[in-house]
């Protein structure tokens, strides 16, 4: 069935195309309910499996990337409901299984689960209108989709504590200075800039892209020595790929490489 809360599109093609996933629940500022998160997980898995796709972009509207988990739904939850239903974990963790790069193109509000969803992506490109925050504390809860873990890794403990404890929202410039955001661009060019970044990824040999993403993620999840050892094995494995032969031969012959993703 076609998704009700997402717009799906395929753009670019350089030579691998980009899967665009636009969160589309405008009446609720893209509040992330179960139906939307199920559809998002399915769309991500489909793009990850699609041989013609090299990169995925998740975006929202000009007004909101996403204003968080759906408060209307959460209002009625009990502790038993949340725990027994494994609230959030069931369908919010799919994105962690995605091996291709995922870019978040963020304009407007990225609050609570919206900020957390952006942080689950591999990099954030922000419009100058973007606002990031973890205002859950005002609702009597805490960030529940990784915010207390990913935010300090992205912006450091001091700013993470500030945002999580006081509910202060930060603008795009502060977010870029703090390291939450990879690129800050004018709102009018957000989608173009995201497509350019996706094309830059789509031009690269896919096997190396998958290994590179996997290795950078290790930097957040384990001790340095293990990360270095993991990286070194992946680095060695690249010499078994046809694209390594092609990439280096093309460089030496001063011609453009033609990658086959093998
Ligand atoms: N859940 C459900 N509905 C939401 C929503 C949310 N998170 N955010 C906005 N909406 C709805 C509003 O209820 C409103 O609906 P109606 O028109 O039917 O009344 C509609 O979207 C438009 O919102 P506003 O009228 O509030 O728009 P605004 O421009 O005045 O304010 C805003 C925008 C500052 C983002 C404000 O909507 C807001 O504060 N939203 C809630 C932000 C929030 O607290 N997010 C955290 C949620 S908890 C969480 O995410 C848990 C987790 O860690 C996973």
């Amino acid at each position: 069935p076609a998704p009700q809360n997402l717009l799906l599109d395929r753009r670019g093609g350089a030579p691998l195309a980009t899967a665009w996933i636009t969160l589309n629940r405008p009446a609720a500022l893209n509040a992330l309910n179960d139906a939307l998160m199920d559809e998002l997980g399915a769309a991500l898995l489909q793009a990850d499996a699609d041989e013609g796709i090299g990169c995925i972009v998740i975006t929202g509207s000009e007004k909101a990337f996403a204003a968080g988990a759906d408060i209307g739904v959460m209002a009625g939850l009990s502790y038993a409901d949340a725990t027994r239903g494994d609230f959030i974990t069931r369908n919010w963790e799919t994105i962690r299984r995605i091996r291709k790069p995922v870019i978040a193109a963020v304009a407007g509000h990225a609050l609570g689960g919206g900020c957390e969803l952006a942080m689950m992506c591999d990099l954030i490109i922000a419009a100058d209108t973007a606002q990031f925050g973890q205002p859950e504390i005002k609702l009597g809860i805490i960030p529940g989709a990784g915010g207390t873990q990913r935010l300090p890794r992205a912006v450091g403990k001091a700013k993470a504590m500030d945002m999580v404890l006081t509910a202060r929202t930060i603008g795009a410039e502060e977010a870029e200075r703090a390291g939450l955001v990879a690129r800050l661009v004018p709102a009018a060019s957000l989608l173009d800039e995201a497509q350019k970044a996706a094309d830059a990824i789509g031009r690269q040999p896919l096997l190396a892209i998958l290994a590179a993403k996997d290795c950078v993620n290790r930097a957040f999840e384990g001790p340095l020595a293990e990360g270095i050892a993991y990286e070194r094995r992946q680095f060695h494995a690249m010499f078994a790929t046809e694209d390594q032969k092609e990439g280096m031969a093309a460089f030496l012959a001063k011609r453009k490489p033609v990658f086959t993703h093998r």
Side-chain angles (χ1 to χ4, degrees), residues 18-256:
T18 306
W20 277 77
I21 302 175
T22 303
L23 309 176
N24 187 38
R25 256 195 102 195
L29 298 180
N30 293 333
L32 304 165
N33 64 6
D34 235 25
L36 188 155
M37 292 310 291
D38 279 340
E39 291 175 359
L40 178 60
L44 285 167
L45 289 170
Q46 195 176 14
D48 210 32
D50 186 329
E51 298 218 333
I53 293 291
C55 186
I56 301 165
V57 178
I58 302 178
T59 194
S61 69
E62 280 176 23
K63 200 163 176 225
F65 178 73
D70 193 313
I71 299 169
V73 172
M74 287 187 292
L77 278 189
S78 68
Y79 168 77
D81 296 333
T83 304
R84 297 188 61 180
D86 204 8
F87 181 50
I88 295 279
T89 312
R90 185 184 67 76
N91 51 9
W92 284 60
E93 297 285 322
T94 308
I95 190 167
R96 280 162 52 86
R97 292 169 26 214
I98 302 305
R99 296 170 68 211
K100 290 174 184 165
V102 184
I103 296 173
V106 177
H109 304 288
L111 300 177
C115 185
E116 291 169 303
L117 175 61
M119 290 192 289
M120 286 184 214
C121 297
D122 299 309
L123 61 100
I124 300 176
I125 299 182
D128 48 19
T129 58
Q131 292 278 332
F132 297 89
Q134 298 290 162
E136 286 90 341
I137 206 82
K138 294 198 287 186
L139 300 168
I141 57 171
I142 65 172
T148 65
Q149 304 304 302
R150 290 196 183 91
L151 193 59
R153 282 168 169 79
V155 305
K157 176 180 165 183
K159 210 170 274 287
M161 283 290 191
D162 186 2
M163 292 170 69
V164 171
L165 300 179
T166 73
R168 183 168 74 87
T169 293
I170 63 172
E173 275 185 28
E174 187 175 357
E176 197 211 15
R177 273 202 308 279
L180 180 60
V181 159
R183 303 186 195 181
L184 171 55
V185 301
S189 56
L190 176 66
L191 302 186
D192 284 346
E193 292 296 329
Q195 184 61 57
K196 272 191 219 159
D199 280 340
I201 291 168
R203 278 194 289 275
Q204 313 308 328
L206 184 63
L207 290 173
I209 287 284
L210 298 180
K213 165 171 169 164
D214 189 23
C215 286
V216 174
N217 277 332
R218 290 283 157 149
F220 288 92
E221 291 177 1
L224 181 62
E226 269 176 35
I228 299 278
Y230 189 79
E231 177 208 73
R232 213 49 45 82
R233 294 294 164 262
Q234 295 268 27
F235 173 66
H236 294 162
M238 291 298 107
F239 293 89
T241 67
E242 292 172 18
D243 284 343
Q244 173 267 328
K245 303 288 176 289
E246 168 63 9
M248 294 191 183
F251 177 83
L252 293 174
K254 302 189 188 303
R255 63 169 174 82
K256 277 196 152 190

